[in-house]
């Protein structure tokens, strides 16, 4: 007796089976078909927030953008420190490395056929620095003369300090509190009506904001009552009034753009020559121009879809976006893929091998590894570290293990009792057996001997060590034998994983038991920025191949420091290095600064990053690079027959 | 007729109130997240932060923002994403993602129904035989095994080892990309359906009218299909509605495993980055859908069952 329902269910099974069979009839994998079409399939971790190079900050965005745009200098396919021509054909600089001239490619065109000129570059740098755009990566251009003042809207400096007709020099004026005192907490006063504040609150708000950030009402109030503002004694009443008058008249005029008055150090004598004046010698300027924040944006397209300062207008969307890179945008399906195709207008189009690239935002790295092994990707973004041993054994032909400019480290909140003691911090750092940690936990990573990995001509000092006895002795000296008397600290992290557990266990060796505090990424970041944590697991990826990308952040008041630590000696060395145009002397000064940082131990570096990923052998022209920016135009797909 | 109109009106009003409460709770819970939308991994300078707050109206008092939000939603304006995909219309993002979630949900439910119900019927017909035990064992496994275990296993087997099906990605014109995620997503519903159908069928098959039909000498297949199935499916049908809603809205894990560009992933990322408008969008969309679905079910029940109408109480 065969019932109809049985038939029904078996027909369903047959249906599914036949679909499976049908699918299996497609002999060629996606990669094989893509090889024939010369299209590279790239795992790109996350969906780009957008493609306006001046507003994004993530790595996935930058991967797509480097195919669509090109900075003044280009990436070399295999050398980290060799610059090749990009949007600029050649460049030169003065002896002190402060004056640079870039000569643009004479035939360069945007992907819509319009010529790329210095007008676009000036517009681009003006735009990213414009305070109204609120571009998070604008500080990458602060080395340009007066760029920082313009970007931070330092009105006092621009309207008075830079004006040759102003009766008093800036040296003297700079003692006025234009920028606001970060130590004065005005969070609860900001949104209140100035008129309704009492005298003390008014003084506090004015001191906290500084003259540059005040509206007309408080400025007029200061003009009427000098006691509201702590004027330096040296500044006469006439000058005080003159300063206020300039600030108020700027507001009265509707706060016009100060770009011209700020005399930002970028000029173009002709459509293909760009002069950049810097505030200090920057030997790595050509390398910096390869960063997305230095990419040009097409003036004519940006202005067609909005004002210079409008954020994320339609100019950077599919159908509108125009670039100067080897590829142009072809398709964009959210969370699915982004596809780029050859840009026939690219100045070096004949040397571009690929017909296109498809970027897949696969956030789940296990899924990505499966997709790679199933022949759906040419290159994957990241291999989960626990699969390293498995991949070594089973797929050595795919596995790539390459150095990367990044460091995993522990951050100490030096404002916490106990952690304010240098000996305690040193003891904690000495308790970390970095060799063992890298061998078993941070698989593939290199044990850190300092914060900055080897980058450019900088060799990191060999400072960090593992010495449990010394650590215990330091604890005794500090008055906390075996950790007795220390409060119970929490280690802040975004993931409970073996690395945080290993660090916890290492500290336990000293007798210091700690808890782990788990937060999702947003609260994790804000807790550190607010100083509301004890110890945190942290990481930093360099933006450009120079030690300052790791060292500059530990200065006082820097938003990425978050340790409460600062050192005048350290900052003096960084400043001295910034003024030094001899490359060897410069890195020696930076190494000296790094030693101070590590001796004071507001942080305990653990390991230097390694890029672990799967990659198909038919991709040629892809070499290990410290910044991991592989120039797409040099890549070919060659299948060995 | 007047009563029915009043019933419908009152259900409609209830729906609007539920939606309003949902929006209000979502708005204030989102604002209570302990970090700023505009913060970044690298510290955002104060002047940039203030500028961003001003651009997105976050410098205004909370109640003003709340009324702005209500006003925009009332006019059908979901706004633009303020962080995750800043500047993009939320409606544009959802219009790309929702069809994917919907198709995936439909295929998963079709799979669940076409496997679960026949299996349950078969199991009930062969009660306490080997067939029954095997089916019920699989059903129990289907309920117990979470989809983050099943999904990768299926992908490893059919995708990586056998190379039959793609393991990641989505194509509206490529049904091969639907199969693994739909099976993974639909498996738990299939398992529940088979158990519910089995129980419902067993109860119906024991009733007097079935015995009468058998005594009259009708064929077993006719008895099952024409007489028993109707009654036996009642628990399963009742389960289908909520199961469908849960399937299309609850595919986050499956989306991640198979790289499906649906709404689940967007929703989770929006919460993690505190993208307030992009959190509100899916909430309003799913809220409206579920409320509408319930409203329609209520209507059908009112039509089917006179006892539910309010005037019958008096």
């Amino acid at each position: 007796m065969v019932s109809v329902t049985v038939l029904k269910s078996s027909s369903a099974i047959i249906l599914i089976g036949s679909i499976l069979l049908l699918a299996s009839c497609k002999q060629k994998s996606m990669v094989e078909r893509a090889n024939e079409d010369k299209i590279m399939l790239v795992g790109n971790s996350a969906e780009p927030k957008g493609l306006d190079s001046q507003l994004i900050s993530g790595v996935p965005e930058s991967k797509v953008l480097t195919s669509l745009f090109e900075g003044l200098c280009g990436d070399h396919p295999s050398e980290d420190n060799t610059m090749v021509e990009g949007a600029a054909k050649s460049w030169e600089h003065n002896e002190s490395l402060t004056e640079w001239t870039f000569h643009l490619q004479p035939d360069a065109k945007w992907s819509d056929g319009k010529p790329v000129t210095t007008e676009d570059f000036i517009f681009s740098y003006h735009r990213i620095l414009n305070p109204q755009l609120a571009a998070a990566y604008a500080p990458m251009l602060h080395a340009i003369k007066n760029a920082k003042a313009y970007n931070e809207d330092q009105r006092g400096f621009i309207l008075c300090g830079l004006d040759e007709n102003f009766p008093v020099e800036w040296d003297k004026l700079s003692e006025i509190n234009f920028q606001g005192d970060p130590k004065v907490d005005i969070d609860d006063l900001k949104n209140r009506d100035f008129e309704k504040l009492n005298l003390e609150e008014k003084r506090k708000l004015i001191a906290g904001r500084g003259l540059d950030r005040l509206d007309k009402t408080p400025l007029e109030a200061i003009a009427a009552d000098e006691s509201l503002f702590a004027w330096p004694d040296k500044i006469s009443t006439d000058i005080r009034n003159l300063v206020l008058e300039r600030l108020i008249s700027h507001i009265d005029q509707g706060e016009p753009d100060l770009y011209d008055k700020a005399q930002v150090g970028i000029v173009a004598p002709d459509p293909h020559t760009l002069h950049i004046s810097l505030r200090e010698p920057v030997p790595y300027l050509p390398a910096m121009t390869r960063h997305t924040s230095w990419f040009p944006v097409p003036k004519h397209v940006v202005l067609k879809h909005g004002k210079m300062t409008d954020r994320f207008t339609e100019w950077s969307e599919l159908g509108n976006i125009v670039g100067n890179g080897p590829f142009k945008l072809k398709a964009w399906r959210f969370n699915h893929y982004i596809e780029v195709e050859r840009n026939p207008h690219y100045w070096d189009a004949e040397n571009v091998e690929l017909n296109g690239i498809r970027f897949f935002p696969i956030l789940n790295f296990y899924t990505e590894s499966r997709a790679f092994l199933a022949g759906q990707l040419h290159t994957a973004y990241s291999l989960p570290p626990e699969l390293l041993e498995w991949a070594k054994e089973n797929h050595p032909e795919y596995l790539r293990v390459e150095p990367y400019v990044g460091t995993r480290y522990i951050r100490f909140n030096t404002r916490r009792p106990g952690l304010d003691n240098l000996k305690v911090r040193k003891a904690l750092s000495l308790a970390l057996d970095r060799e063992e940690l890298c061998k078993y936990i941070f698989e593939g990573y290199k044990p850190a001997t300092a914060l900055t990995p080897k980058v450019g001509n900088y060799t990191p000092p060999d400072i960090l060590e593992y010495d449990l006895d010394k650590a215990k002795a330091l604890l005794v000296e500090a008055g906390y034998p075996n950790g007795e008397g220390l409060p119970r600290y929490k280690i802040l992290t975004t993931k409970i994983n073996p690395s945080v557990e290993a660090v916890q266990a290492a500290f336990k060796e000293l007798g210091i038991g700690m808890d782990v505090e788990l937060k999702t990424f947003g609260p994790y970041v804000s807790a550190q920025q607010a100083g509301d944590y004890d110890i945190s697991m942290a990481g930093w990826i360099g933006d450009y191949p120079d030690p300052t990308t790791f060292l500059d952040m530990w200065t006082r008041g820097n938003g990425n420091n978050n340790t409460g630590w600062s050192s005048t000696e350290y900052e003096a060395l960084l400043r001295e290095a910034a003024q030094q145009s001899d490359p060897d002397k410069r890195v020696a000064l930076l190494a000296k600064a790094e030693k101070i940082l590590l001796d004071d131990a507001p942080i305990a570096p653990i390991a230097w990053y390694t890029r672990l990923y799967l990659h198909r052998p038919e991709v040629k022209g892809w070499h290990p690079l410290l910044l991991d920016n592989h120039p797409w135009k040099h890549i070919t797909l060659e299948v060995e027959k | 007729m007047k009563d029915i109109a009043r019933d419908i009106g009152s259900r409609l009003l209830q729906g609007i109130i539920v939606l309003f409460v949902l929006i209000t709770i979502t708005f204030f819970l989102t604002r209570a997240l302990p970090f700023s939308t505009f913060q970044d991994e690298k510290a955002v300078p104060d002047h940039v932060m203030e500028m961003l707050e001003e651009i997105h109206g976050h410098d205004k008092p909370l109640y003003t923002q709340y009324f702005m939000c209500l006003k925009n939603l009332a006019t059908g304006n979901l706004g633009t994403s303020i962080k995750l995909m800043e500047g993009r219309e939320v409606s544009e993002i959802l219009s790309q993602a929702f069809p994917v979630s919907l198709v995936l949900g439909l295929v998963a439910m079709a799979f669940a129904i076409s496997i679960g119900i026949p299996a349950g019927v078969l199991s009930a017909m062969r009660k306490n035989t080997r067939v029954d035990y095997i089916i019920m064992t699989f059903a129990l496994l289907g309920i117990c095994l979470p989809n983050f275990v099943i999904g990768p296993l299926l992908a490893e087997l059919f995708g990586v080892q056998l190379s039959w099906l793609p393991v990641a990605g989505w194509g509206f014109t490529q049904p091969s990309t639907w199969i693994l995620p739909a099976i993974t997503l639909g498996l738990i519903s299939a398992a529940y359906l088979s158990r519910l159908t089995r129980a419902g069928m067993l109860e119906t098959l024991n009733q007097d009218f079935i015995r009468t039909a058998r005594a009259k000498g009708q064929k077993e297949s006719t008895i099952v299909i024409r007489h028993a199935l109707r009654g036996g499916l009642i628990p399963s049908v009742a389960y289908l509605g909520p199961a469908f809603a849960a399937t299309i809205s609850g595919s986050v894990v499956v989306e991640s495993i198979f790289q499906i560009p649906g709404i689940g992933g967007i929703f989770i990322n929006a919460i993690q980055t505190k993208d307030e408008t992009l959190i509100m969008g899916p909430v309003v969309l799913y809220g409206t859908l579920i409320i509408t679905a319930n409203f329609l079910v209520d209507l059908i029940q009112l039509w089917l069952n006179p006892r539910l109408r309010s005037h019958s109480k008096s």
Side-chain angles (χ1 to χ4, degrees), chain A residues 419-477:
Chain A
L419 294 175
D420 55 2
N421 188 325
L422 168 63
K423 285 174 180 155
V424 173
R425 298 197 301 267
K426 284 226 95 141
L428 291 172
S429 180
L430 282 166
L432 298 170
D433 187 346
R434 296 171 174 85
E435 297 278 342
E436 291 281 298
L437 282 170
C438 287
K439 198 164 164 196
Y440 297 111
I441 309 289
F442 296 94
E443 286 188 58
Y445 284 27
K446 296 272 175 297
T449 64
L451 172 68
T452 314
K454 183 165 173 39
V455 51
N457 61 338
Y458 184 78
T459 310
D462 187 2
I463 294 176
L464 300 168
E465 51 175 349
Y466 167 63
D467 191 336
L468 210 53
D469 295 333
K470 201 165 152 192
K472 283 180 179 160
L474 275 173
L475 276 186
V476 174
E477 275 178 45

Side-chain angles (χ1 to χ4, degrees), chain A residues 164-184:
Chain A
E164 284 168 11
N165 299 324
F166 200 80
V168 179
E169 294 288 305
W170 176 248
D171 279 350
K172 208 169 154 198
L173 280 179
S174 63
E175 284 171 32
I176 301 173
N177 173 11
F178 282 111
Q179 294 282 305
D181 185 345
K183 279 179 290 184
V184 181

